[in-house]
Amino acid sequence: MVLRYRVSLPGIKGFARIYEVKANTTLYSFHKQMRADMDFPQDQMVMFKGLDEAGAVVARYGIFDLGAGTIDSVTLEQTLKAGVVSFVYFYDTTNVKSVIVTYEGEGEPRQDVVYPLLVESKGPNPSDFENGYVAYEDLPDDKKKPLAGSGSDSFDDDDPDDDDEDDDIDVDDDEDGKEIFDESED
């Protein structure tokens, strides 16, 4: 059986990852794949906090047994049977950095692929959001400008907030269209 999980960031629409995993995949194998795909630090302790449909914590899975088993011995199928429908996956427990991992249902088995499999990706890695990246869909409506080629003719060339300095470049050209360089400047 193949299971689908969505990885997301709370309150961020510009980030998502969809994984398909075999039901007998351990949390540790899933963790290793997410760490590799999203450039999570490799020197950090990790933990999966299992939540039920009401959002209540039902289990904690770590490298050490926190009461529900270790991540290398617990499978995703076992977590579903225990009532876990989503996780808060702490990829950096020291700095309390996490993503949300939500069960989305069963997927169709694929031939000749290695699971866990990243099947959809949206936006940069979580560390980019930590460093100030804001996705277009996460901008407040008053900060959004029409995208080029979106069919909108409402571009305002006199916008005082336009920081585009490309319009202010002056290039001296001679009659042949070649740039003139001063030989003494290096």
Side-chain angles (χ1 to χ4, degrees):
M1 175 169 44
V2 174
L3 309 173
R4 288 178 62 94
Y5 284 88
R6 172 180 296 273
V7 179
S8 60
L9 288 168
I12 305 287
K13 297 176 192 169
F15 170 81
R17 300 289 188 271
I18 306 288
Y19 283 93
E20 290 183 352
V21 295
K22 289 186 177 180
N24 65 352
T25 300
T26 64
L27 291 172
Y28 182 70
S29 294
F30 192 26
H31 143 76
K32 285 190 339 181
Q33 188 64 50
M34 289 190 294
R35 182 182 66 192
D37 291 339
M38 292 181 267
D39 296 327
F40 293 146
Q42 296 193 22
D43 62 346
Q44 294 295 314
M45 299 280 282
V46 298
M47 183 180 77
F48 287 83
K49 182 166 56 170
L51 308 172
D52 64 12
E53 288 186 21
V57 177
V58 293
R60 287 180 175 84
Y61 308 98
I63 294 173
F64 304 104
D65 192 346
L66 302 171
T70 59
I71 61 175
D72 63 338
S73 67
V74 175
T75 66
L76 289 163
E77 183 175 39
Q78 290 170 326
T79 66
L80 284 174
K81 287 179 181 175
V84 175
V85 296
S86 68
F87 300 96
V88 178
Y89 166 63
F90 291 93
Y91 59 89
D92 182 347
T93 54
T94 303
N95 296 306
V96 195
K97 295 179 181 178
S98 64
V99 292
I100 307 299
V101 180
T102 308
Y103 174 68
E104 290 199 325
E106 292 185 21
E108 292 295 321
R110 300 171 191 240
Q111 296 295 322
D112 302 322
V113 299
V114 176
Y115 291 100
L117 177 66
L118 178 64
V119 295
E120 290 181 39
S121 180
K122 177 182 180 182
N125 289 330
S127 62
D128 292 326
F129 290 95
E130 295 166 12
N131 294 327
Y133 176 85
V134 178
Y136 181 78
E137 56 262 44
D138 293 318
L139 287 171
D141 289 339
D142 62 333
K143 298 290 184 191
K144 291 181 182 178
K145 293 183 180 180
L147 297 173
S150 65
S152 175
D153 295 331
S154 63
F155 288 103
D156 184 4
D157 292 335
D158 297 326
D159 185 358
D161 294 328
D162 188 3
D163 292 332
D164 190 4
E165 298 295 327
D166 293 343
D167 297 336
D168 300 332
I169 297 174
D170 293 326
V171 177
D172 293 328
D173 292 337
D174 68 1
E175 304 82 42
D176 296 332
K178 298 177 186 171
E179 290 185 13
I180 301 173
F181 296 98
D182 185 358
E183 295 291 329
S184 64
E185 292 181 11
D186 286 296

